[in-house]
Every structure is written in C-alpha cells, then in structure tokens.
Amino acid sequence: MIKLHNLHKSYPIGKDSLHVLKGLDLHIREGEFVSIMGSSGSGKSTLLNIVGLLDTHDSGDYFLNGQRIENLNEKKAAILRNKFLGFVFQSFNLINYKNALENVALPLYYKGIGRKERQVTALQYLEKVGLKERAYHLPSELSGGEKQRVAIARALVTNPKVVLADEPTGALDSTTSHSVMELLKEINREGMTVFVITHEEDIAEETDRIVRLRDGVIISDKRVIKKAIV
Amino acid sequence: MKFLFDIDTWQEIYSSIRKNKIRTAITIIGVMWGIFLLVVLLGAAKGVENNFNKLFGSFATNSVFIWAQSTSKPFKGFQEGRKLTLKMSDLKSIRSEIKGLDFVVPRHQTQAVATNNFKSGTFGIYGDYPELNVVQKKDLVYGRFINENDILENKKVCVIEEEIYKQLFDKDEYPIGQYIKINNINYKLVGMYKEGSLRTGGPQGSIHIPFTTFQQVYNRGNTIGWLMITGKPEFDISQIEADVKLLLKNLHKVNPEDNRAFGSFNLGERIAQVTGFLTGMQFLTWFVGIATLIAGVFAIGNILLITVKERTKEIGIRRALGAKPWEIKRQIILESVFLTSVAGALGIIGGGLVLMLIDATMGKGHDASLTNPTVDIPVILIAFATLVFLGTLIGLIPAQRAVSIKPIEALREE
Ligand SMILES: Nc1ncnc2c1ncn2[C@@H]1O[C@H](COP(=O)(O)OP(=O)(O)OP(=O)(O)O)[C@@H](O)[C@H]1O
Ligand SMILES: [Mg+2]
C-alpha cells in the first residue's frame, strides 16, 4: 500500500539545509496497523506528511497504492488525498463553526457527492464512532475524546485506503487515549491500513508493528508480540 | 456553476461574514457609499439639467437681445453721450443685410397699473408682434396670442399671464372677452397663458398688447424698445450679434469702436455656459463616484485578505481533506463578488430613495430647483456590472494568497 525507498527530505534553513529524513526504506501492506516512534525532532511528522501528500520528498521513491508519487501538482494531490487518505491530527483540526455532522461530511463535499447522500453517510460514520447523538453539536461543545472521534469519522467517511494519524492521542488523557486506540483497532480489524505516530510506548504496544526513527533513519522495525488475548 | 446553487457554498459565505461582522459592515459601506454617491449625484445633475431644459425649452435658445444706449465716443461731429433709439427702419436693414437670421422681433416695454373692477396691480406692459409666440412659445390656457389683424388695426386687445389673472379676476371667472383698464384705456382680453418657470416678464407679471397699439398709446412714434433676434441653428449667434451691432452703429453714425452704444444679452452664449457647467458636473460626478467605488472595492479586497489570513489553518484543513485549489479560490472570489454586489445593490437602493426624497422636497412646484432627478437604468446596470467585475478582480488577490502556501504550512499555522 505504501512503499518508500531511500527517501530523503531536507528543510532549507537560511543558507543551510536541515537533513531530516536520511534515506528511509519502509513497506506498509494493506490492512497493517503500524506505529512510528522516536524522540522529538526525529522526523516522524515529516515522514507522515510526505506519505499524506501534504509535503513533498526530495529524492527516493514513494509508491502509494502502486502509483508512483512525483511531480504532483496541488490539484492532483488534492484528488489523491481525498480518494486514498484520511487524516487524524493531534489537535483534531475540526472546523469550529461547523457541527460534528458537517465536519464529517466535508470530505464528501470535495468528493463531489450530493448533499443528501453526504448527510446520510456522515451520520453512519458518526454512529460508528458512537457519536450519533452529538451530530448537531459544535466542536466547542464536545470533549477532547469526542472531538477526536469526530475527526476519525471524518477520516473514514470517504472510505480511504490509509488512515494517517499524527499523535492522535497526544492531547488526551490515558483513558480516552485507549478508547480512541480501541476505535482505530476496530477500524483496522475491518481491513483499513492505519499508520500512527505516537510518543507513548503503551499506545504503540496496541498496534501490530512499531517502526522506530532516530535522526532521520529507521533504527528498528518490529512486529508486536501480542499477549494472549482471551 | 452548480456550486452557486449549493447551500454549503452560501453557508460558508454566511459563516465567514458572521465571523467578521463589523469589519464586513464597514467595508461594505465603502462600496455602498461610492455607488450611492454616483446615483445621487448623477440623478441630481440630471434633475438640474431637466430643470434647465424645462426653463429654456419654450425658448429659441439661439437668440440675442439688443437695445440702444448712449454713445461713449465722439464720431463724425457728434459729441459723446448722445442718446440712441432703435427705429423701425433699422429692422428693415437688419432683415435685408444680416445673414442667418430666423426672426427679428421688436418689442416695447413699460410698467403700468392695470385694473379690473376693484382689483388692481402694477404689471409689465409689453408691445408685441405675433412672432413673440414663436421665439418664446406661450402655453395658452385660454384664447389666443396677438395676431396680424391686431397689429394692422392697432386693436385694444391684451394677452395676460396666469399670475395676473389670479390677481385681477375671481376664481373660476372666464377671462376671455372681459376688459382690463390700463392707463385709463380698456383692453379686451383675448388670451391667457401659463408662464414657464422662467418668468420672462419679471416678478410682476406681463401683459402683452399689439406692438402698434403700444406705439400709439405711449407715443413711441416709429421707435423700438429692444430687439429679440434668433439665428438659424447652423449660424453662430455670437457672429450675428456682432454683425447686427456693427450694422446698427453704421446706421446710427456711431464710432465702430464704441462698445457701449448698443447693449446686448446673448442667451445662446449663456446657455452654452450652463450646458458646459452641467457637463462638467456630470464628469465630476463620475470621477468622484468611480474613485470612491474603486476605493471601496479595494477595501473589500483588503478585508478578504485579512479573512484569508485568519482562516489559513481552516483552508489547510480543507485542503488536507481534498479541496482542490480552484475550489478554495472560487469560494473566496464568490465571497468578494457577493459582498460587492450586496453593497452595490444597497447603494443603488439608497441612492434611489434619496432621489425620490429630493424629488418630493425640491422637485415640486413653481420654483423647483430640480426636475425629475433620475438615473438611467443602463447607467445603473453598467455601474453594477463594473462593480461585479471589480469584485471578481480584487477577489483574485486573496484567493491566490489562500492557495499560495503549501497545505502543510497552512496546517502548522496557529
Ligand atoms: N517546515 C520546516 N522547516 C524547517 N525545519 C523543519 C520544518 N518542519 C520540521 N522541521 C524540522 O525537522 C525536524 C523533524 O521535524 P518533525 O516535525 O518531523 O519531528 P517529529 O519527529 O514529528 O517531532 P515531534 O515528536 O516533536 O512532533 C525538526 O528538527 C524540525 O525542527
Ligand atoms: Mg511531530
């Protein structure tokens, strides 16, 4: 689903440039639940943004769903994002003057789907994250955990190939964090490829595979040994 | 075009405006004020022009009045200060020697008390030829104007202005055939007319009697009080004025350099001056209105730029969710067009209302300073179309700005 080969990325800082990703190789197959760990500044977000087509890489290869990503213009990138990718952010990034339902329906609007169908589909996904009763609440009327569920519903509503989450639990307490992870797991069980960044070891433990980054290189890539689930 | 009919499109414009209520209102006022000024000033200018046309509409505008004064230079043995009088013989010479004449109408004028039973008043008394009714069209309410027969037979008839009728007669009294006494002579009333806004007879009102009768009654021999000369449209009235004066100087043995011997009032020139002034006023109106409009549109562009900056993060989110650059842009352009159109419409409506108010207060009655102040619909449409066009153009700037930064940078914005 996601295939990276010798991926490099630098940020220009004044006259110098900061080499952030130094030749990454990573292959994430369809249906995997992968987490990336690493200290602050190791390049996790940079990697996720490139994978999410929000940013571009300097050199190396990136294949998304078998399609080589290079020289994308903004329009094509927008279409691919809409079609293949769902985003979940640490700070939720809901639009504050739109209620939960409208927020969830927004990607469908850009997909060109009619208003009625958008409403129905968005409501289905809100139900899936357990927030059907909160459909007409504004983000300011929702708790952090609820906001993140709305954001997850929004990421799923276009039925993408991959859900990308940059520290989805970073702003939540541990109980809420685990319920959000439960939700992501459930989505993964239904076949969705999920790719999360996290700082917390116990959150990473809930995924199937942990990739560790340090200074722009992958230092380890391991499957999680699941404790026996009864 | 489908997106124009999408509720979401308008909902987003609505919420964007709601977030910046005061600022939006202030900028809308800029454009509104511009088009308001344009409508009101153009309307007022049109009103003044209409009024002017109404004033002079019944008048041959290509005309000049000429009268005799006293010489200011000695000539051929005559002392300076000699009093001059126009004679009937001058008339013949003018008619035969000056080119481009339409009418040459001699007139006499005096003041007298006129009475009807116990009512009386002081009025201007004019000795006139039938031609006066051609060069200064009289709007006759009853009867007729002086005719050829009255002139030939020195008839004691008169034509009065409605104002005089009001002073000398009872309401609803039929004036034609009644007699008015002026300087102890009875004149039979043959006509009454409604004066235009321009009271040619002066404030006291005018009574017209046949020119020949005037000469006889007031012992004027074969003299003329003053001349009203109209030129054919293709001839320059100023040239006619100069030619006639030169001819008169020649006939009356006056130094050709003597500029005070004959007085004149060139109506054509005056009208050209006023017309020029009106044109200048309209030009100024357009200039002021359009400058204000452009300033207003720029203000709208500016507020959108600020709004776009404030919404950078939101725009980043939308783009992460799959909004194509054009979808972001057209939304902002539409917002710009929407704001300018609303402002324009409000300005036009406001301007229209003010014109109605002006018409109701200053445009009615006798001494109205404006007549029918209006602005042509095509002018409004052109102004409005220009506004929408400018709105689109100015909207392009914030729209471009909204998509100029990468989505990832937009998302990072706090
Ligand atoms: N737009 C940018 N311009 C310049 N430098 C940048 C930019 N974005 C990130 N960096 C730098 O690149 C490095 C990696 O950043 P990145 O955001 O990927 O780190 P991270 O692993 O996500 O860290 P954190 O855990 O704190 O989120 C950092 O040193 C950061 O300062
Ligand atoms: Mg990060």
Side-chain angles (χ1 to χ4, degrees):
Chain A
M1 179 56 44
I2 292 166
K3 210 169 172 182
L4 305 174
H5 179 63
N6 199 21
L7 194 82
H8 285 267
K9 173 74 180 176
S10 318
Y11 287 116
I13 297 179
K15 277 175 192 157
D16 302 327
S17 77
L18 181 69
H19 202 174
V20 180
L21 299 182
K22 302 164 181 167
L24 297 190
D25 289 297
L26 185 64
H27 189 184
I28 298 173
R29 285 179 189 79
E30 186 155 10
E32 277 198 280
F33 190 3
V34 182
S35 60
I36 302 187
M37 291 206 62
S39 55
S40 191
S42 55
K44 306 183 294 292
S45 295
T46 306
L47 173 61
L48 196 89
N49 292 334
I50 290 171
V51 170
L53 304 177
L54 294 170
D55 208 346
T56 51
H57 57 281
D58 298 335
S59 66
D61 304 318
Y62 170 24
F63 295 90
L64 174 63
N65 198 35
Q67 183 181 348
R68 190 193 174 89
I69 302 300
E70 62 179 343
N71 302 330
L72 276 190
N73 64 24
E74 246 316 305
K75 186 182 169 189
K76 280 186 194 148
I79 294 169
L80 286 178
R81 281 198 291 269
N82 190 262
K83 203 168 163 186
F84 292 127
L85 305 167
F87 292 91
V88 179
F89 303 93
Q90 178 176 1
S91 53
F92 322 123
N93 281 350
L94 298 176
I95 291 172
N96 56 23
Y97 58 86
K98 288 180 178 289
N99 65 32
L101 188 69
E102 290 164 338
N103 264 288
V104 175
L106 198 57
L108 296 174
Y109 172 70
Y110 291 119
K111 205 174 179 180
I113 287 174
R115 189 176 174 78
K116 277 236 177 66
E117 198 186 331
R118 293 206 299 267
Q119 302 263 341
V120 172
T121 315
L123 205 59
Q124 273 171 15
Y125 278 88
L126 272 178
E127 190 172 14
K128 191 183 176 89
V129 300
L131 285 175
K132 200 180 172 188
E133 308 75 45
R134 294 277 198 275
Y136 299 99
H137 287 238
L138 288 173
S140 56
E141 298 159 357
L142 299 173
S143 75
E146 286 170 334
K147 280 188 222 180
Q148 201 57 301
R149 283 160 183 276
V150 172
I152 292 170
R154 183 178 66 181
L156 296 174
V157 78
T158 51
N159 194 23
K161 292 277 184 194
V162 185
V163 169
L164 301 170
D166 192 344
E167 304 197 37
T169 60
L172 305 174
D173 64 36
S174 62
T175 328
T176 338
S177 294
H178 283 285
S179 69
V180 165
M181 285 312 287
E182 272 313 314
L183 184 57
L184 290 176
K185 266 200 253 180
E186 189 188 318
I187 291 158
N188 174 249
R189 271 199 294 276
E190 288 167 14
M192 181 73 69
T193 313
V194 182
F195 191 19
V196 295
I197 292 177
T198 180
H199 261 116
E200 295 152 85
E201 201 66 50
D202 54 335
I203 295 293
E205 291 291 337
E206 299 199 40
T207 68
D208 297 340
R209 179 179 164 195
I210 302 176
V211 176
R212 290 178 200 275
L213 269 185
R214 183 189 292 157
D215 292 334
V217 289
I218 294 173
I219 51 163
S220 86
D221 185 347
K222 283 187 192 131
R223 309 229 140 247
V224 176
I225 321 291
K226 296 274 170 179
K227 287 155 200 153
I229 301 164
V230 185
Chain B
M1 279 300 113
K2 190 180 130 234
F3 91 110
L4 278 182
F5 303 101
D6 200 324
I7 289 184
D8 300 73
T9 308
W10 296 101
Q11 195 194 7
E12 258 150 49
I13 286 181
Y14 170 72
S15 37
S16 154
I17 289 169
R18 233 188 42 177
K19 268 196 293 186
N20 300 291
K21 260 184 244 144
I22 294 172
R23 214 188 288 152
T24 307
I26 290 171
T27 40
I28 273 194
I29 286 170
V31 166
M32 216 172 79
W33 182 240
I35 198 138
F36 173 83
L37 267 185
L38 196 69
V39 169
V40 170
L41 290 180
L42 278 181
K46 185 76 185 170
V48 171
E49 193 187 321
N50 284 344
N51 203 46
F52 183 76
N53 287 340
K54 192 176 85 182
L55 242 51
F56 290 97
S58 57
F59 251 70
T61 45
N62 204 24
S63 57
V64 59
F65 305 150
I66 295 179
W67 59 92
Q69 300 178 148
S70 302
T71 58
S72 63
K73 285 191 167 99
F75 191 63
K76 286 188 176 164
F78 290 107
Q79 289 287 306
E80 64 171 272
R82 177 166 55 102
K83 230 180 134 32
L84 301 168
T85 318
L86 294 175
K87 299 208 174 59
M88 288 307 277
S89 57
D90 297 337
L91 210 56
K92 280 201 194 77
S93 309
I94 292 172
R95 281 188 177 132
S96 62
E97 292 187 32
I98 306 293
K99 270 192 292 199
L101 293 180
D102 214 355
F103 288 98
V104 183
V105 187
R107 300 188 75 183
H108 264 306
Q109 176 184 4
T110 188
Q111 249 186 29
V113 176
T115 54
N116 172 36
N117 294 330
F118 299 106
K119 296 183 171 178
S120 72
T122 307
F123 306 110
I125 313 295
Y126 293 84
D128 278 317
Y129 274 96
E131 283 90 342
L132 186 79
N133 194 26
V134 181
V135 295
Q136 280 181 19
K137 191 93 194 84
K138 303 294 180 210
D139 181 10
L140 285 156
V141 181
Y142 299 121
R144 60 172 176 84
F145 197 68
I146 288 157
N147 63 23
E148 220 40 68
N149 210 29
D150 299 333
I151 298 285
L152 289 174
E153 296 178 15
N154 299 0
K155 283 201 173 162
K156 305 277 190 300
V157 294
C158 68
V159 176
I160 61 167
E161 205 179 298
E162 192 181 32
E163 198 59 33
I164 295 175
Y165 166 77
K166 282 181 191 154
Q167 289 185 46
L168 295 185
F169 291 87
D170 289 331
K171 216 168 172 259
D172 301 329
E173 207 176 339
Y174 186 66
I176 304 300
Q178 308 254 28
Y179 285 88
I180 295 177
K181 192 175 271 184
I182 308 167
N183 296 107
N184 276 322
I185 296 168
N186 277 317
Y187 292 88
K188 190 177 175 184
L189 219 156
V190 294
M192 183 195 97
Y193 65 90
K194 214 187 185 94
E195 63 283 77
S197 307
L198 195 71
R199 301 282 304 279
T200 49
Q204 75 272 60
S206 15
I207 298 178
H208 304 261
I209 61 175
F211 187 81
T212 46
T213 314
F214 191 105
Q215 280 180 323
Q216 192 184 52
V217 169
Y218 295 99
N219 282 322
R220 296 295 162 97
N222 63 347
T223 66
I224 294 170
W226 44 288
L227 281 173
M228 235 183 112
I229 298 175
T230 64
K232 291 204 167 74
E234 66 272 24
F235 283 84
D236 178 14
I237 193 68
S238 302
Q239 187 58 49
I240 292 177
E241 177 187 11
D243 291 350
V244 169
K245 278 171 135 181
L246 194 66
L247 175 67
L248 287 173
K249 284 174 196 168
N250 193 14
L251 291 170
H252 290 258
K253 301 190 173 57
V254 174
N255 187 331
E257 305 287 294
D258 191 341
N259 290 327
R260 293 213 217 126
F262 295 96
S264 60
F265 177 83
N266 193 325
L267 193 62
E269 262 174 22
R270 286 303 140 85
I271 288 175
Q273 276 170 11
V274 177
T275 314
F277 171 74
L278 288 176
T279 313
M281 209 165 108
Q282 284 202 355
F283 178 76
L284 197 72
T285 298
W286 276 108
F287 182 77
V288 169
I290 287 173
T292 318
L293 267 186
I294 290 176
V297 172
F298 267 94
I300 285 188
N302 200 39
I303 188 191
L304 283 173
L305 209 54
I306 296 170
T307 316
V308 160
K309 233 174 147 181
E310 280 173 358
R311 290 170 68 190
T312 305
K313 173 117 186 195
E314 182 197 320
I315 289 168
I317 297 169
R318 287 168 183 274
R319 292 173 73 184
L321 298 181
K324 293 179 262 310
W326 166 239
E327 287 170 324
I328 301 282
K329 277 206 230 175
R330 70 179 183 193
Q331 186 72 33
I332 292 160
I333 293 169
L334 185 67
E335 196 173 323
S336 171
V337 172
F338 176 74
L339 286 179
T340 41
S341 309
V342 165
L346 287 177
I348 289 169
I349 292 170
L353 288 177
V354 166
L355 284 184
M356 276 159 82
L357 195 74
I358 289 176
D359 191 37
T361 53
M362 296 161 73
K364 295 279 174 276
H366 227 44
D367 43 0
S369 42
L370 295 159
T371 305
N372 211 3
T374 50
V375 182
D376 296 339
I377 297 287
V379 171
I380 294 288
L381 290 181
I382 289 170
F384 197 72
T386 314
L387 203 58
V388 171
F389 176 72
L390 285 178
T392 314
L393 218 59
I394 208 78
L396 285 173
I397 300 170
Q400 192 49 46
R401 147 93 216 201
V403 296
S404 66
I405 62 172
K406 285 206 266 178
I408 182 61
E409 278 151 20
L411 276 171
R412 251 197 293 265
E413 194 100 351
E414 264 327 308

